[in-house]
Amino acid sequence: MKNTIIANWKMSASLEGVHAYVSTFKSLKIPKDRDIIFCPPTPYLTFMDGALSGMPLYIGAQDCAASQKISNTGEASADMLKDVGCSHVIVGHSEVRQRTNPTQKDISAKLQNAIDSGLHPIFCVGESLEIYKINKTKDHLEEQLKALDALAKEKAPLKNILIAYEPIWAIGTGIIPTMTEIEDICAFIAEHISKTYNIAIPVLYGGSVKGKNAGEILSLPSVNGVLVGGASLDPKEFHKICMAD
Ligand code: PGA
Protein backbone atom coordinates (compact mmCIF):
# COMPACT_ATOMS: atom_id res chain seq x y z
CA MET A 1 0.00 0.00 0.00
CA LYS A 2 1.19 3.50 -0.81
CA ASN A 3 2.66 5.30 2.21
CA THR A 4 0.46 8.11 3.49
CA ILE A 5 2.07 11.07 5.24
CA ILE A 6 -0.32 13.36 7.09
CA ALA A 7 0.39 16.79 8.57
CA ASN A 8 -1.92 17.67 11.46
CA TRP A 9 -1.35 21.35 12.15
CA LYS A 10 -3.88 21.34 15.02
CA MET A 11 -4.60 24.97 15.98
CA SER A 12 -1.16 26.23 14.91
CA ALA A 13 -0.61 28.61 11.99
CA SER A 14 -1.67 32.02 10.76
CA LEU A 15 -2.65 32.96 7.23
CA GLU A 16 0.72 34.63 6.73
CA GLY A 17 2.49 31.55 8.08
CA VAL A 18 0.47 29.26 5.80
CA HIS A 19 1.47 31.34 2.73
CA ALA A 20 5.15 31.09 3.68
CA TYR A 21 4.86 27.37 4.44
CA VAL A 22 3.23 26.54 1.11
CA SER A 23 5.75 28.51 -0.90
CA THR A 24 8.66 26.72 0.83
CA PHE A 25 7.05 23.28 0.48
CA LYS A 26 6.24 23.82 -3.19
CA SER A 27 9.89 24.60 -3.91
CA LEU A 28 10.90 21.14 -2.65
CA LYS A 29 10.72 17.85 -4.52
CA ILE A 30 7.43 16.05 -3.95
CA PRO A 31 7.72 12.27 -3.81
CA LYS A 32 5.38 10.54 -6.27
CA ASP A 33 5.06 7.29 -4.36
CA ARG A 34 3.40 8.84 -1.29
CA ASP A 35 0.04 10.40 -0.52
CA ILE A 36 0.74 13.65 1.31
CA ILE A 37 -2.20 15.19 3.16
CA PHE A 38 -2.27 18.57 4.89
CA CYS A 39 -4.80 19.06 7.70
CA PRO A 40 -4.74 22.78 8.50
CA PRO A 41 -7.15 24.51 10.88
CA THR A 42 -10.63 24.78 9.27
CA PRO A 43 -10.42 28.52 8.39
CA TYR A 44 -7.40 27.88 6.15
CA LEU A 45 -8.84 24.96 4.17
CA THR A 46 -10.05 27.09 1.26
CA PHE A 47 -6.74 28.89 0.99
CA MET A 48 -4.86 25.57 1.05
CA ASP A 49 -7.14 24.14 -1.62
CA GLY A 50 -6.30 27.05 -3.93
CA ALA A 51 -2.61 27.18 -3.06
CA LEU A 52 -2.05 23.47 -3.69
CA SER A 53 -4.26 23.13 -6.75
CA GLY A 54 -2.69 21.18 -9.57
CA MET A 55 -0.20 19.57 -7.20
CA PRO A 56 -0.27 15.92 -6.13
CA LEU A 57 -1.14 16.89 -2.55
CA TYR A 58 -4.34 16.39 -0.57
CA ILE A 59 -6.21 18.39 2.05
CA GLY A 60 -7.95 17.08 5.13
CA ALA A 61 -9.95 18.53 8.01
CA GLN A 62 -9.22 17.81 11.66
CA ASP A 63 -12.76 16.75 12.62
CA CYS A 64 -16.33 16.79 11.33
CA ALA A 65 -19.76 16.94 12.91
CA ALA A 66 -21.45 13.77 14.13
CA SER A 67 -24.87 15.07 13.23
CA GLN A 68 -26.00 16.77 10.03
CA LYS A 69 -28.45 18.99 11.97
CA ILE A 70 -28.05 22.60 10.87
CA SER A 71 -28.47 23.79 14.45
CA ASN A 72 -24.92 22.61 15.32
CA THR A 73 -23.36 25.97 16.18
CA GLY A 74 -19.59 25.91 15.80
CA GLU A 75 -19.34 22.70 13.79
CA ALA A 76 -18.57 21.87 10.16
CA SER A 77 -20.34 19.06 8.34
CA ALA A 78 -18.53 16.52 6.21
CA ASP A 79 -20.38 17.89 3.16
CA MET A 80 -18.99 21.36 3.82
CA LEU A 81 -15.47 20.02 4.19
CA LYS A 82 -15.82 18.21 0.88
CA ASP A 83 -17.12 21.44 -0.63
CA VAL A 84 -13.98 23.37 0.29
CA GLY A 85 -11.65 20.79 -1.24
CA CYS A 86 -11.03 18.18 1.45
CA SER A 87 -10.42 14.60 0.44
CA HIS A 88 -9.80 13.41 4.02
CA VAL A 89 -10.94 14.12 7.56
CA ILE A 90 -9.43 13.09 10.90
CA VAL A 91 -12.01 11.37 13.13
CA GLY A 92 -11.53 10.50 16.79
CA HIS A 93 -8.25 12.29 17.43
CA SER A 94 -7.49 11.93 21.16
CA GLU A 95 -7.42 15.71 21.65
CA VAL A 96 -10.95 15.96 20.24
CA ARG A 97 -12.06 12.92 22.27
CA GLN A 98 -10.69 14.49 25.47
CA ARG A 99 -12.34 17.83 24.77
CA THR A 100 -15.76 16.63 23.60
CA ASN A 101 -16.11 13.15 25.13
CA PRO A 102 -17.86 11.60 22.10
CA THR A 103 -19.78 8.34 22.44
CA GLN A 104 -18.97 5.37 20.24
CA LYS A 105 -22.16 6.25 18.34
CA ASP A 106 -20.85 9.77 17.68
CA ILE A 107 -17.58 8.38 16.31
CA SER A 108 -19.48 5.95 14.05
CA ALA A 109 -21.71 8.80 12.87
CA LYS A 110 -18.68 10.97 12.02
CA LEU A 111 -17.13 8.10 10.08
CA GLN A 112 -20.40 7.45 8.26
CA ASN A 113 -20.97 11.15 7.47
CA ALA A 114 -17.44 11.45 6.14
CA ILE A 115 -17.86 8.42 3.89
CA ASP A 116 -21.30 9.53 2.70
CA SER A 117 -19.76 12.87 1.71
CA GLY A 118 -17.03 11.16 -0.28
CA LEU A 119 -14.23 11.79 2.22
CA HIS A 120 -11.61 9.33 3.49
CA PRO A 121 -11.79 9.26 7.29
CA ILE A 122 -8.49 8.99 9.15
CA PHE A 123 -9.78 7.13 12.19
CA CYS A 124 -7.54 7.66 15.24
CA VAL A 125 -7.29 5.09 18.01
CA GLY A 126 -4.82 4.83 20.87
CA GLU A 127 -4.38 4.13 24.55
CA SER A 128 -3.54 6.31 27.56
CA LEU A 129 -0.37 5.77 29.56
CA GLU A 130 -2.40 4.07 32.33
CA ILE A 131 -3.78 1.50 29.89
CA TYR A 132 -0.35 0.98 28.33
CA LYS A 133 1.20 0.38 31.76
CA ILE A 134 -1.29 -2.34 32.70
CA ASN A 135 -0.81 -3.99 29.31
CA LYS A 136 -4.41 -3.54 28.17
CA THR A 137 -3.65 -1.68 24.93
CA LYS A 138 -5.07 -4.35 22.62
CA ASP A 139 -8.33 -4.68 24.59
CA HIS A 140 -8.70 -0.91 24.50
CA LEU A 141 -8.09 -0.74 20.75
CA GLU A 142 -10.57 -3.53 20.09
CA GLU A 143 -13.18 -1.50 21.96
CA GLN A 144 -12.40 1.68 19.99
CA LEU A 145 -12.43 -0.20 16.68
CA LYS A 146 -16.00 -1.34 17.40
CA ALA A 147 -17.02 2.09 16.05
CA LEU A 148 -16.56 0.41 12.66
CA ASP A 149 -19.28 -2.18 13.40
CA ALA A 150 -22.03 0.25 12.50
CA LEU A 151 -20.42 0.70 9.07
CA ALA A 152 -19.49 -2.89 8.50
CA LYS A 153 -22.84 -3.93 7.09
CA GLU A 154 -21.59 -2.84 3.72
CA LYS A 155 -17.96 -3.62 3.05
CA ALA A 156 -17.53 -0.89 0.44
CA PRO A 157 -17.48 2.11 2.81
CA LEU A 158 -14.85 0.51 5.04
CA LYS A 159 -12.30 0.46 2.28
CA ASN A 160 -12.24 4.28 2.28
CA ILE A 161 -10.97 4.42 5.88
CA LEU A 162 -7.42 4.73 7.14
CA ILE A 163 -6.63 3.86 10.75
CA ALA A 164 -4.08 5.91 12.68
CA TYR A 165 -2.65 4.25 15.78
CA GLU A 166 -1.68 7.08 18.12
CA PRO A 167 -0.73 6.19 21.70
CA ILE A 168 -1.88 9.24 23.68
CA TRP A 169 1.30 9.20 25.76
CA ALA A 170 3.40 9.62 22.61
CA ILE A 171 1.53 12.65 21.27
CA GLY A 172 3.57 15.82 21.62
CA THR A 173 5.85 14.27 24.24
CA GLY A 174 8.90 13.29 22.20
CA ILE A 175 8.49 9.76 23.61
CA ILE A 176 7.65 6.96 21.21
CA PRO A 177 7.03 3.25 21.67
CA THR A 178 9.82 0.92 20.58
CA MET A 179 9.79 -0.12 16.92
CA THR A 180 8.82 -3.63 18.06
CA GLU A 181 5.81 -2.23 19.91
CA ILE A 182 4.70 -0.07 16.96
CA GLU A 183 4.95 -3.04 14.61
CA ASP A 184 3.16 -5.34 17.05
CA ILE A 185 0.21 -2.98 17.53
CA CYS A 186 -0.13 -1.95 13.87
CA ALA A 187 -0.03 -5.64 12.85
CA PHE A 188 -2.63 -6.39 15.53
CA ILE A 189 -4.96 -3.67 14.19
CA ALA A 190 -4.55 -4.83 10.57
CA GLU A 191 -5.22 -8.45 11.57
CA HIS A 192 -8.20 -7.52 13.72
CA ILE A 193 -9.76 -5.53 10.84
CA SER A 194 -9.06 -8.30 8.39
CA LYS A 195 -10.51 -10.99 10.69
CA THR A 196 -13.56 -8.97 11.75
CA TYR A 197 -14.50 -7.28 8.47
CA ASN A 198 -12.58 -9.29 5.91
CA ILE A 199 -10.94 -6.23 4.41
CA ALA A 200 -7.45 -4.66 4.33
CA ILE A 201 -7.28 -1.08 5.63
CA PRO A 202 -4.03 0.94 5.81
CA VAL A 203 -2.70 1.41 9.35
CA LEU A 204 -0.65 4.53 10.13
CA TYR A 205 1.37 5.41 13.20
CA GLY A 206 1.23 8.82 14.94
CA GLY A 207 2.90 10.30 18.03
CA SER A 208 6.21 12.21 18.08
CA VAL A 209 7.15 11.31 14.51
CA LYS A 210 10.15 13.42 13.44
CA GLY A 211 12.56 13.58 10.52
CA LYS A 212 15.00 11.46 12.47
CA ASN A 213 12.68 8.52 13.30
CA ALA A 214 10.33 8.56 10.27
CA GLY A 215 12.48 6.29 8.11
CA GLU A 216 12.62 3.57 10.74
CA ILE A 217 8.88 3.78 11.44
CA LEU A 218 7.92 3.78 7.75
CA SER A 219 10.08 0.75 7.11
CA LEU A 220 8.05 -1.39 9.55
CA PRO A 221 6.08 -3.98 7.56
CA SER A 222 2.69 -3.22 9.13
CA VAL A 223 2.97 0.57 9.04
CA ASN A 224 1.44 2.20 5.95
CA GLY A 225 2.17 5.80 6.83
CA VAL A 226 2.50 8.38 9.58
CA LEU A 227 0.37 11.11 11.15
CA VAL A 228 2.57 14.02 12.18
CA GLY A 229 1.71 16.88 14.54
CA GLY A 230 4.50 19.13 15.84
CA ALA A 231 7.12 18.17 13.25
CA SER A 232 4.73 19.00 10.40
CA LEU A 233 4.77 22.69 11.31
CA ASP A 234 8.20 23.23 9.77
CA PRO A 235 7.98 22.65 5.99
CA LYS A 236 11.56 21.40 5.73
CA GLU A 237 11.20 18.97 8.62
CA PHE A 238 7.88 17.73 7.24
CA HIS A 239 9.44 17.36 3.81
CA LYS A 240 12.19 15.25 5.37
CA ILE A 241 9.49 12.95 6.77
CA CYS A 242 7.78 12.81 3.35
CA MET A 243 11.06 11.73 1.78
CA ALA A 244 12.11 9.30 4.54
CA ASP A 245 12.54 5.63 3.76
P1 PGA B 1 2.82 14.88 17.46
O1 PGA B 1 1.23 14.83 17.25
O2 PGA B 1 3.46 14.45 16.17
O3 PGA B 1 3.12 16.31 17.81
O4 PGA B 1 3.14 13.95 18.57
C1 PGA B 1 0.62 13.79 16.54
C2 PGA B 1 -0.87 14.00 16.52
O5 PGA B 1 -1.42 14.56 17.46
O6 PGA B 1 -1.55 13.59 15.56
Side-chain angles (χ1 to χ4, degrees):
M1 273 182 245
K2 197 166 172 176
N3 273 322
T4 304
I5 317 288
I6 304 170
N8 174 13
W9 289 354
K10 310 192 179 187
M11 211 171 72
S12 298
S14 62
L15 194 51
E16 202 185 338
V18 176
H19 272 273
Y21 188 110
V22 169
S23 79
T24 305
F25 197 83
K26 277 166 100 170
S27 69
L28 305 166
K29 187 172 162 261
I30 296 168
K32 288 203 179 68
D33 57 344
R34 302 226 151 135
D35 284 341
I36 300 171
I37 303 155
F38 288 98
C39 301
T42 310
Y44 304 135
L45 285 168
T46 301
F47 168 77
M48 285 294 281
D49 183 45
L52 302 180
S53 93
M55 305 194 65
L57 299 167
Y58 298 93
I59 300 164
Q62 298 176 11
D63 191 22
C64 68
S67 141
Q68 302 276 31
K69 272 201 310 220
I70 55 170
S71 55
N72 275 334
T73 301
E75 294 216 84
S77 72
D79 277 348
M80 290 171 185
L81 300 172
K82 176 76 179 171
D83 235 8
V84 295
C86 289
S87 52
H88 293 72
V89 58
I90 298 173
V91 171
H93 190 284
S94 59
E95 286 160 7
V96 179
R97 288 184 194 259
Q98 277 160 9
R99 201 172 60 240
T100 63
N101 204 15
T103 61
Q104 193 77 304
K105 231 172 132 192
D106 293 334
I107 299 281
S108 297
K110 288 182 185 202
L111 293 168
Q112 188 69 59
N113 288 344
I115 290 167
D116 290 348
S117 305
L119 298 172
H120 294 272
I122 302 154
F123 175 31
C124 296
V125 292
E127 81 286 3
S128 65
L129 189 57
E130 292 70 29
I131 291 172
Y132 171 76
K133 279 188 177 156
I134 57 167
N135 207 14
K136 290 276 177 224
T137 296
K138 291 179 181 173
D139 295 341
H140 180 74
L141 295 176
E142 267 183 15
E143 248 339 278
Q144 287 188 317
L145 290 168
K146 282 189 186 150
L148 296 173
D149 283 356
L151 314 170
K153 283 177 212 103
E154 301 161 66
K155 232 178 266 163
L158 275 183
K159 78 169 173 21
N160 294 324
I161 299 181
L162 299 97
I163 308 270
Y165 167 56
E166 296 207 301
I168 298 170
W169 50 274
I171 294 178
T173 58
I175 302 165
I176 63 164
T178 64
M179 294 300 138
T180 311
E181 286 173 321
I182 295 176
E183 172 56 23
D184 178 46
I185 297 296
C186 290
F188 166 78
I189 293 172
E191 262 169 50
H192 176 80
I193 299 281
S194 154
K195 260 199 279 171
T196 316
Y197 309 114
N198 192 24
I199 194 162
I201 295 184
V203 182
L204 281 51
Y205 168 79
S208 295
V209 176
K210 314 265 181 240
K212 63 176 189 318
N213 60 23
E216 209 180 348
I217 296 170
L218 286 167
S219 67
L220 295 169
S222 302
V223 173
N224 303 116
V226 285
L227 174 49
V228 190
S232 71
L233 296 174
D234 172 349
K236 292 196 173 140
E237 177 76 1
F238 184 60
H239 182 259
K240 213 164 150 190
I241 296 170
C242 294
M243 299 298 283
D245 69 297

